[in-house]
Amino acid sequence: MRAYGFTAFGGPENETMLDLPVPSPGPGELLVRVRAAGVNPGDWKLRDGGYGNTALPAVLGREVAGTVVAAGPGCGGFAVGDEVFGGTPGMVGGWAEQALVLASFAAHRPEGVSPADAAGLPVAAGTAYDALNGLDLAPGSTLLVNGAGGGVGVVTLQLARARGLVVVGTASKGKHDLVASYGATPVEYGDGVAERIRAAAPQGVDAVFDTVGGDALRAVAEVLADRSRLATIADRALAAELGGKGVERDRSTGVLAALAQLVADGALDPNVTDTRPLDEAGAALATVEAGHTRGKVVIEVG
């Protein structure tokens, strides 16, 4: 089968199209004929060696949508022919004509949800969903999303508004229209950001969800009276130093099914703005690695 991945850790020069055997599903694994696969910052970080040792050559891609062609033991609830979406074992293998999916982190794709939209849910949307569940804010509370214009941030804005939260989002100037389109108040990064946040939320900020880390996280943390209401996906060490925490992921069928239903009901837009064929997987990853996308990038395979 055709797949796209890398043969050595490092830069894009190590990426290539691969010709590999079709994988066999083990216990708790589904083999799917891939129809679409999401592209995420974690893909280039994996290629760079940021996640430790991965067997080489490695196929990129950690979230897919497709049709079940085989199932290993312990995959109750799924059958050959089912249209599903979910996460791949070890966060690899998705950018291929066929891929393994964890049955425990898979769900049926509703008829009204496209493969491209479904393929974009497990990573970014799942992370946003888990972050909000962890913060557990009451309706009417004010949430600051640090990095609101990114893939996780945009979904968080939508889910937060659906929960009745007041949302303020930091973003670059060029993404302020995007942030505002999802009902949040945009605030520009940089010097004076804390003052701008206070002006945008005179009632105060009840929680911060950070997707940036580093100095940008340190700068916004000062607007929060209760630092235990700070959660990050970008800088756990700094969050702990500041009194906050990292986001705990719930990679489960239940989370994916809930997200897919929100999409089917029109309450969530996965914001897929760029779709590429498998032959353009390298260009798709380069777009995400550059960090200037305004939406989700998806590879359409079949």
Side-chain angles (χ1 to χ4, degrees):
M1 69 173 188
R2 296 171 72 239
Y4 190 84
F6 59 98
T7 55
F9 294 107
E13 69 275 6
N14 296 317
E15 298 173 20
T16 187
M17 195 67 73
L18 302 166
D19 184 9
L20 298 173
V22 175
S24 298
E29 295 177 341
L30 304 168
L31 177 65
V32 304
R33 180 171 291 106
V34 179
R35 299 186 63 183
V39 183
N40 295 281
D43 295 315
W44 65 261
K45 293 175 184 177
L46 175 74
R47 182 211 63 214
D48 276 1
Y51 296 124
N53 292 328
T54 298
L56 299 174
V59 178
L60 290 161
R62 56 191 60 199
E63 56 182 355
V64 304
T67 308
V68 177
V69 295
C75 293
F78 297 102
V80 172
D82 286 352
E83 293 293 328
V84 301
F85 68 103
T88 60
M91 300 186 292
V92 296
W95 299 359
E97 292 174 327
Q98 297 192 56
L100 297 175
V101 173
L102 294 166
S104 61
F105 191 35
H108 293 92
R109 177 173 64 83
E111 192 171 322
V113 178
S114 71
D117 280 351
L121 293 175
V123 176
T127 299
Y129 190 89
D130 292 341
L132 290 174
N133 280 350
L135 290 171
D136 193 26
L137 294 169
S141 301
T142 298
L143 171 69
L144 172 69
V145 180
N146 196 33
V152 176
V154 165
V155 176
T156 304
L157 300 181
Q158 297 178 69
L159 296 178
R161 292 291 290 181
R163 296 180 181 217
L165 305 182
V166 177
V167 188
V168 176
T170 64
S172 60
K173 193 71 172 178
K175 291 186 176 180
H176 280 198
D177 61 334
L178 178 66
V179 171
S181 74
Y182 289 114
T185 301
V187 171
E188 192 165 6
Y189 289 130
D191 291 344
V193 64
E195 289 74 18
R196 290 191 292 276
I197 292 168
R198 292 189 180 101
Q203 71 278 18
V205 171
D206 298 299
V208 171
F209 174 41
D210 167 66
T211 71
V212 183
D215 289 342
L217 168 56
R218 192 180 296 275
V220 302
E222 64 179 81
V223 306
L224 194 58
D226 180 359
R227 296 288 180 86
S228 71
R229 309 300 288 167
L230 184 157
T232 184
I233 58 169
D235 202 332
R236 284 177 178 262
L238 179 55
E241 175 190 324
L242 295 170
K245 59 189 175 184
V247 172
E248 299 302 322
R249 291 299 315 276
D250 176 12
R251 295 179 174 90
S252 68
T253 294
V255 167
L256 294 184
L259 289 167
Q261 192 58 53
L262 288 170
V263 177
D265 292 343
L268 173 63
D269 176 7
N271 198 36
V272 175
T273 57
D274 190 355
T275 58
R276 310 282 185 95
L278 184 60
D279 286 338
E280 296 180 17
L285 184 55
T287 298
V288 171
E289 190 167 359
H292 301 302
T293 58
R294 286 176 59 91
K296 185 75 179 182
V297 180
V298 170
I299 296 168
E300 293 187 321
V301 181

